[in-house]
Amino acid sequence: MKPALTLDITPLLESQWTGIPVFTRRLVQALDPHLDLHFCMGPNGVPGDAVRQAIRISTGTYLRDAIDAAVETVVKEAARPTIDPAIPLLYPSVKPSPGAAMREASTIHDISTLVMPDTHMPENVAFHLDPLRDQMASDEAVFCCSEATREALCTYLPWVRPRTRVMYQYVDWPEGFEAMDRNQPAIRLGRYAVVIGTVEPRKNLRLLLRALEEPSVAADDLHFVVIGARGWMADQALAQLSPEAQARISFTGFISEFAKYRLLRHAEFLVYPSVYEGFGIPAVEAMSLGKPVLASLSSSFPEVIGPAGLFFDPFSVDGFVAALEEMSNPSVQAELAAQAMPQAARFNAGVMAAPVLEWLAGG
Amino acid sequence: MSARPVLLVSVPAVHLSTIELPGSIYPWRCLRDAVLPPDLRLALLLVMQAAEAQQTEVRFVARPEIFTHGAAREWLDAQAGGAEDHLALTDGNTLRLLPGLRNHMFFFPRGMTSREAALQRLVRLVPEAFAGLASQVNGTLSFRLGARWVRPPLLPLGFAVTPAGEPAQYIPFVWLPGNHGHAGVLSEKEAMAGLPLLKPPHFVPLTLGALSDHPFVVELAKQVRDVVLDPAKGPLLIGLPALDRDDAATKDQVEAVLEAFSRTGVALPRRSSWSVRFVAGMPDPAALAGGRLTLHARVPFWHFGRDVLDAAAELVLTGSGTLSAARSLFTTWLGREVAVQRIRPQMGLMPVTVGQVP
């Protein structure tokens, strides 16, 4: 008989799944073969078939409709199932209030709201930090998304360390993407690198923009495709660049998973200048497609990217330019690319499920 | 390894967003030439002077929080010149620590109520981080953690000579009951860079924290009334408080003080006066010599150098409530006893306490 676990699927209620909703979806899929999974939204149970159907169609809209339909009358509301407090309860993100189950665990993705509140809206800081101490105190296990996140958390809350476990997530491109990509016309972008970042301070795109005016970068023909919205802050920063430099960079806006897959698959490498990440799933996405990563020497990046990347000081234009030149060397790129897929393969569903199974087994 | 001992220093990263840093480790000149809030600039000057006196090399680190672990930390250690100490200048929003080093804290916006509240919230959230501090610069932070009291050791730093800043602006006192905004505008129009004082003044620098001390403000309002009615009792200089807004103008600072006066119930004469004047910025130290300096417990006393404090004929530490921690801090910092004037709430009326909603 499989051990039972209740998983809070509140993040899956979002319409568009990125970030923590995707993490939650992967967690469900990683644990489903091993556990008797129950689902909840706060103290209320959620039907398992609704969750699994929502995952099949990859949207929270369906799940919200299914839950709303179940509580559309007072009678139905009263009959709504609640969670069984005897079954261990795992939150894939913030635990808003403790004590719903006898054994609880939650997940810390990063502690940027604690150490970098200047990069967050005050409401977001309050959402993460107000319950943090109670959350940690009532957790039997605290899952951290990387060793770097665990170390950062334990720097501030050292008594949490014995409860912490590292839970790495993984990349799972849909099976059909490879065939769909083959059936598409070739991408006509010339040589390009994909960039993950925005102009906001934590994502540090400004470093790349500053580097575009450097002679060695200006002389190259590499194009930079930024996955994400351009925004007025980027407009302001770009206005300070020469027209030639501006022509070297383009913004995709919000794109589908398949469009991201195609852009990454045909890129030379990924540029990830972010100052701080709890894990850095875009790096694993790129590596899973055999692409090396040029990333900040910061937080979780060395741990996640390992030998498949080159690193630079996130505040040094000179350091970034030097690393970019090194990455542009075909032999270096090939050497790193050979490491990319094995490195990405270290992060898989079994690795994600393992710490949860160990916790449930009392290990 | 550096020939001299190295101190790593970090400042709130929000102030770095417009500075083009050469790297995560950057030199003093990047901050020296940058536009910074006055209280942060003074704190940095103080740290740099102290480091120079101790022949210590200062290296600034942009985001210490990203170098806590693994390869990133190894890189930082290689750049740090053997540093064993890290001083985090904090505005109360966060406390950045470097594990393995001796971490010190300098909470520089003393008296800024929102910053003090942020720091208290942070202490409640991660008290263990504060309990591990090797020292606190010019602060009195203490708290109970479980069964023990925690008070990071005091590291007193002070200026020998008050740093020269922008010339102070002197502004007349204008009282228009119920229209403090307009009074602020009128006052600001009359601002002058310098105006001779006929005799040594009584100087009372303010912060928002001092203005939130109602009994203290009542006493100050009475002094204002007395001096306006009888200029021979002046001059009274009131240092305008820094506001927690980037766009705050002098008139807003004046309005904040007048609003606080209006809440005291002290009837002030409806007139303007140069005998009571507001001061934006640090007055010329020579103008304060021989005068009286009243420092509220929630004023950043370290903004004043020994030249001003020693030249004052009378130096008083004041405030309502307990002043023992502030007195201990100030006397240790100054190296001598200081007169303390504890202000008690006005007596006369029966206190009313509402225990429950009817």
Side-chain angles (χ1 to χ4, degrees), chain A residues 3 31 75 83 87 92 118 149 224 238 249 252 255 305 326 329 336-337 348 356:
Chain A
L31 295 175
V75 175
I83 63 171
I87 297 176
D118 50 294
T149 295
F224 297 94
L238 284 165
I249 188 164
T252 64
I255 56 173
I305 299 165
E326 192 178 351
N329 181 330
L336 295 170
N348 55 57
V356 181

Side-chain angles (χ1 to χ4, degrees), chain B residues 322-358:
Chain B
T322 177
L323 292 175
S324 58
R327 178 184 190 170
S328 168
L329 166 67
F330 196 43
T331 53
T332 306
W333 179 82
L334 194 58
R336 62 179 161 91
E337 280 298 318
V338 178
V340 174
Q341 182 187 13
R342 185 177 168 213
I343 299 169
R344 295 174 192 280
Q346 196 172 19
M347 303 299 287
L349 295 173
M350 293 286 284
V352 178
T353 305
V354 179
Q356 62 186 62
V357 177

Side-chain angles (χ1 to χ4, degrees), chain A residues 114 118 133 156 159 313 315, chain B residues 24 63 94-95 97 125 128:
Chain A
L114 178 62
D118 50 294
R133 203 165 175 85
Y156 288 86
W159 49 271
D313 175 353
F315 291 97
Chain B
S24 289
R63 287 269 189 193
T94 188
L95 178 68
L97 300 176
L125 181 66
E128 295 83 2

Side-chain angles (χ1 to χ4, degrees), chain A residues 113-119 125-126 129-130 132-133 147-148 151-152 155-159 201-202 206 210 275-276 297-299 302-303 313-318, chain B residues 13-14 16-17 19-25 62-63 65-72 75 93-99 121-129 145:
Chain A
T113 48
L114 178 62
V115 296
M116 296 184 161
D118 50 294
T119 64
V125 173
L129 296 189
D130 287 351
L132 181 66
R133 203 165 175 85
E147 194 65 53
E151 288 301 317
T155 296
Y156 288 86
L157 296 168
W159 49 271
R202 187 175 148 204
R206 203 176 292 272
R210 286 169 65 191
V275 170
Y276 182 96
L297 182 60
S298 153
S299 52
E303 173 189 351
D313 175 353
F315 291 97
S316 168
V317 172
D318 291 346
Chain B
V14 68
L16 302 178
S17 58
I19 304 174
E20 295 204 345
L21 300 175
S24 289
I25 304 284
R63 287 269 189 193
E65 65 271 25
I66 69 175
F67 298 114
T68 56
H69 171 70
W75 179 87
N93 274 334
T94 188
L95 178 68
R96 298 181 167 90
L97 300 176
L98 277 170
R121 175 173 173 265
L122 198 61
V123 171
R124 284 193 292 272
L125 181 66
V126 286
E128 295 83 2
L145 178 56

Side-chain angles (χ1 to χ4, degrees), chain B residues 38 165-172 187-188 191-194 203-206 237-242 248-254 257 274 277-284:
Chain B
E166 294 285 313
Q169 291 282 313
Y170 294 89
I171 300 146
S187 296
E188 192 181 22
M192 301 180 77
F203 180 40
V204 187
L206 294 178
L237 295 186
I238 298 175
L240 291 171
T250 302
K251 65 179 174 59
D252 302 315
Q253 295 172 285
V254 172
V257 178
W274 275 102
R277 65 186 74 173
F278 296 116
V279 188
M282 178 66 78
D284 177 9

Side-chain angles (χ1 to χ4, degrees), chain A:
Chain A
M1 191 172 137
K2 293 177 180 176
L5 175 73
T6 303
L7 189 64
D8 182 284
I9 50 81
T10 303
L12 294 183
L13 297 178
E14 288 186 21
S15 299
Q16 300 282 358
W17 286 357
T18 59
I20 290 174
V22 172
F23 175 90
T24 306
R25 190 260 295 164
R26 287 180 179 138
L27 187 57
V28 172
Q29 292 175 306
L31 295 175
D32 225 2
H34 308 284
L35 299 174
D36 173 19
L37 277 184
H38 302 253
F39 302 100
C40 72
M41 196 180 70
N44 298 304
V46 175
D49 53 353
V51 174
R52 293 185 179 88
Q53 179 62 14
I55 286 176
R56 269 192 290 278
I57 57 179
S58 288
T59 174
T61 311
Y62 171 84
L63 194 54
R64 284 202 309 273
D65 287 347
I67 291 170
D68 289 347
V71 294
E72 62 191 2
T73 66
V74 174
V75 175
K76 283 186 177 179
E77 174 69 41
R80 192 175 177 179
T82 54
I83 63 171
D84 180 351
I87 297 176
L89 172 58
L90 169 58
Y91 292 84
S93 183
V94 173
K95 176 164 64 173
S97 63
M102 284 181 279
R103 298 179 68 196
E104 293 182 347
S106 65
T107 310
I108 299 292
H109 292 266
D110 63 58
I111 62 162
S112 61
T113 48
L114 178 62
V115 296
M116 296 184 161
D118 50 294
T119 64
H120 291 273
M121 298 295 288
E123 303 78 28
N124 193 38
V125 173
F127 174 76
H128 283 90
L129 296 189
D130 287 351
L132 181 66
R133 203 165 175 85
D134 286 343
Q135 178 181 337
M136 298 293 98
S138 58
D139 273 349
E140 194 177 286
V142 177
F143 296 103
C144 300
C145 287
S146 63
E147 194 65 53
T149 295
R150 169 153 74 174
E151 288 301 317
L153 177 69
C154 295
T155 296
Y156 288 86
L157 296 168
W159 49 271
V160 176
R161 185 178 288 280
R163 306 172 191 189
T164 56
R165 298 161 190 266
V166 174
M167 182 201 279
Y168 290 122
Q169 67 162 313
Y170 61 99
V171 168
D172 53 353
W173 298 111
E175 286 178 10
F177 275 12
E178 192 176 347
M180 286 164 64
D181 178 54
R182 275 202 305 273
N183 291 330
Q184 295 285 326
I187 291 179
R188 297 173 189 275
L189 285 173
R191 292 182 59 223
Y192 72 94
V194 166
V195 183
I196 300 291
T198 61
V199 179
E200 65 163 294
R202 187 175 148 204
K203 300 300 181 182
N204 202 25
L205 185 61
R206 203 176 292 272
L207 184 79
L208 171 63
L209 300 184
R210 286 169 65 191
L212 285 174
E213 298 282 20
E214 294 292 312
S216 66
V217 181
D220 199 3
D221 63 346
L222 188 70
H223 192 82
F224 297 94
V225 179
V226 182
I227 294 183
R230 179 163 157 153
W232 65 270
M233 288 174 76
D235 284 343
Q236 280 188 332
L238 284 165
Q240 295 169 20
L241 301 180
S242 66
E244 295 77 22
Q246 288 186 38
R248 297 278 304 284
I249 188 164
S250 52
F251 294 78
T252 64
F254 184 81
I255 56 173
S256 68
E257 281 295 287
F258 179 61
K260 181 170 74 174
Y261 172 91
R262 261 173 72 72
L263 278 173
L264 280 172
R265 188 180 175 111
H266 297 282
E268 288 196 3
F269 54 90
L270 174 74
V271 180
Y272 204 171
S274 178
V275 170
Y276 182 96
E277 294 293 334
F279 181 70
I281 194 70
V284 185
E285 289 174 336
M287 292 189 300
S288 73
L289 298 172
K291 305 301 172 186
V293 184
L294 186 59
S296 296
L297 182 60
S298 153
S299 52
S300 60
F301 286 138
E303 173 189 351
V304 171
I305 299 165
L310 291 177
F311 302 95
F312 56 86
D313 175 353
F315 291 97
S316 168
V317 172
D318 291 346
F320 174 70
V321 170
L324 189 61
E325 282 178 20
E326 192 178 351
M327 183 64 97
S328 297
N329 181 330
S331 64
V332 172
Q333 211 177 99
E335 195 178 313
L336 295 170
Q339 305 279 349
M341 290 172 89
Q343 179 68 11
R346 290 182 56 221
F347 307 103
N348 55 57
V351 167
M352 189 178 199
V356 181
L357 301 180
E358 286 168 13
W359 167 54
L360 293 174

